[in-house]
Amino acid sequence: MKYRSLGTTNEKIPIIGQGTWTYGENKSEALEEIKALSYGIENGLTLIDTAEEYAKGGAERIVAEAIKDCRGDIFLTTKVSAKNCSYKGVIEAAEKSLERLNTTYIDLYLQHWPSKEHEAEETMRAMTYLVEKGLVKYIGVSNFTPEMIMEAQNVIGHHVLSCNQVGYHFNDRRVENNVIPYCQKHGITVMAYSPFGYAPQFFGGVGFPEQGTSERQVLDDIGGKYGATAYQVALNWILRHEGLITIPKAKNTAHIKSNLEALELTLSDEDLQVIETYFPKTNEGMSLVKY
Ligand code: NAP
């Protein structure tokens, strides 16, 4: 496993973690989900990303099962929903997450989305309270534009905002125009979610290039040169940015293994150029969406 620093902290976190969106939604899949997370953990994927919102707390319960015998080895990230971002709401949400996760602390606590209802002043003040109480180690945000990050940073004062989790994949490169440069300049880790594209229910579902398209053929051909799959090319392409990490979700253990092995290849400049041609960057930056 390769590691990168979390923001400007001394914490080293795995460059690839495990996402858990949709975990806990279907009881009959619980064992498979716990098994997948455990397999990832045994193989170094010790960063786990979850959220109170996933399966209404169900994903956190699955995570609790998977980490119960190895909590000390895990870097645990969970998120407070935008609607719970009042001062009191954040603290209560964190307490409930801690209970579901069956742990005494959250390594990284993120505001899931910018909130329509609650000001950064309230939310971030609550975040600093949680850090001072020892319930949270590090504060972060998700889906934040640079302007929103600045607002949050102004509130947390001497505390460190160490991470911004954002969507990033071949068909959505908007963060390259505003979020990634801002975060790199200010020592904030960018945690890329949905590295294989968005699910149908999310942002119109711009997913992974499908078999039979020229875009997919290009990725398969590039992968073929390294004995790798198109998905491994995707992870490698994402991780080319300094200070960035990513959190694919994989229930299938063959997928987890493949994601781990993606770290072994390095794409050549020539291949990166071909990707540039097929998946061009637009001029648009990531825009502000509030919930
Ligand atoms: P994703 O990780 O990009 O894609 C997941 C899909 O890719 C699953 O269908 C998985 O299949 C498949 N897959 C994984 N590895 C593969 C491989 N090596 N080869 C082929 N297919 C592979 O999508 P995501 O779940 O949207 O994003 C990842 C995580 O980011 C989430 O789980 C969540 O923790 C986080 N997230 C955060 C936000 C936010 O607003 N902050 C939003 C979305 C996601 P199997 O499951 O069958 O293995």
Side-chain angles (χ1 to χ4, degrees):
M1 180 52 59
K2 290 183 184 160
Y3 295 84
R4 281 182 172 162
S5 297
L6 174 71
T8 53
T9 75
N10 291 326
E11 189 83 48
K12 297 279 182 233
I13 54 174
I15 193 165
I16 296 188
Q18 301 194 78
T20 64
W21 188 24
T22 73
Y23 281 25
E25 283 180 4
N26 188 339
K27 278 207 171 75
S28 66
E29 291 177 15
L31 276 181
E32 189 194 350
E33 291 162 358
I34 295 164
K35 218 174 102 191
L37 286 171
S38 302
Y39 177 83
I41 292 167
E42 280 158 25
N43 287 284
L45 298 179
T46 52
L47 186 161
I48 297 181
D49 175 73
T50 189
E52 63 166 342
E53 212 158 283
Y54 300 164
K56 298 194 175 89
E60 289 182 327
R61 290 197 185 90
I62 295 284
V63 170
E65 271 304 303
I67 67 172
K68 66 179 182 213
D69 296 325
C70 57
R71 172 67 185 98
D73 300 329
I74 303 299
F75 187 85
L76 184 56
T77 300
T78 192
K79 316 184 195 77
V80 54
S81 305
K83 66 176 169 34
N84 288 336
C85 278
S86 67
Y87 182 79
K88 200 163 156 253
V90 172
I91 295 167
E92 284 176 4
E95 285 166 350
K96 287 182 192 155
S97 282
L98 285 166
E99 208 176 305
R100 283 189 293 265
L101 288 161
N102 192 21
T103 185
T104 54
Y105 67 98
I106 295 161
D107 291 281
L108 176 64
Y109 200 37
L110 308 178
Q111 177 173 348
H112 204 147
W113 284 90
S115 173
K116 269 185 197 157
E117 291 171 68
H118 307 291
E119 298 292 329
E121 202 280 321
E122 274 198 75
T123 316
M124 290 298 139
R125 206 158 43 81
M127 289 285 203
T128 61
Y129 168 86
L130 292 169
V131 172
E132 281 155 15
K133 281 276 173 195
L135 301 177
V136 163
K137 277 177 88 174
Y138 304 106
I139 301 170
V141 292
S142 175
N143 300 300
F144 269 43
T145 56
E147 295 72 24
M148 293 295 295
I149 298 176
M150 270 185 256
E151 230 183 276
Q153 280 174 317
N154 285 338
V155 179
I156 64 174
H158 69 278
H159 289 276
V160 179
L161 194 153
S162 55
C163 174
N164 187 21
Q165 187 182 109
V166 289
Y168 182 43
H169 54 85
F170 285 132
N171 288 312
D172 185 1
R173 297 181 57 179
R174 291 173 302 160
V175 291
E176 287 183 38
N177 289 322
N178 54 353
V179 172
I180 294 178
Y182 180 88
C183 289
Q184 284 178 332
K185 185 167 173 207
H186 295 272
I188 297 168
T189 295
V190 174
M191 191 183 282
Y193 71 67
S194 303
F196 304 134
Y198 300 132
Q201 66 270 45
F202 197 64
F203 282 143
V206 192
F208 201 72
E210 282 182 26
Q211 294 278 7
T213 61
S214 54
E215 286 84 2
R216 177 57 176 269
Q217 192 58 52
V218 156
L219 298 177
D220 286 342
D221 289 347
I222 291 176
K225 293 193 203 171
Y226 304 88
T229 67
Y231 288 82
Q232 291 175 316
V233 171
L235 290 182
N236 221 270
W237 175 81
I238 285 172
L239 292 170
R240 75 197 187 285
H241 296 282
E242 193 141 324
L244 191 143
I245 65 162
T246 187
I247 47 166
K249 188 221 79 177
K251 223 182 257 192
N252 177 322
T253 46
H255 288 164
I256 299 174
K257 193 163 177 286
S258 157
N259 295 343
L260 276 156
E261 288 168 359
L263 294 175
E264 286 162 22
L265 62 131
T266 306
L267 296 169
S268 69
D269 289 344
E270 186 196 338
D271 291 330
L272 289 172
Q273 201 46 54
V274 175
I275 291 173
E276 207 57 44
T277 311
Y278 279 82
F279 302 96
K281 194 165 80 138
T282 60
N283 291 327
E284 199 190 347
M286 192 191 92
S287 53
L288 178 60
V289 180
K290 290 188 176 185
Y291 281 101

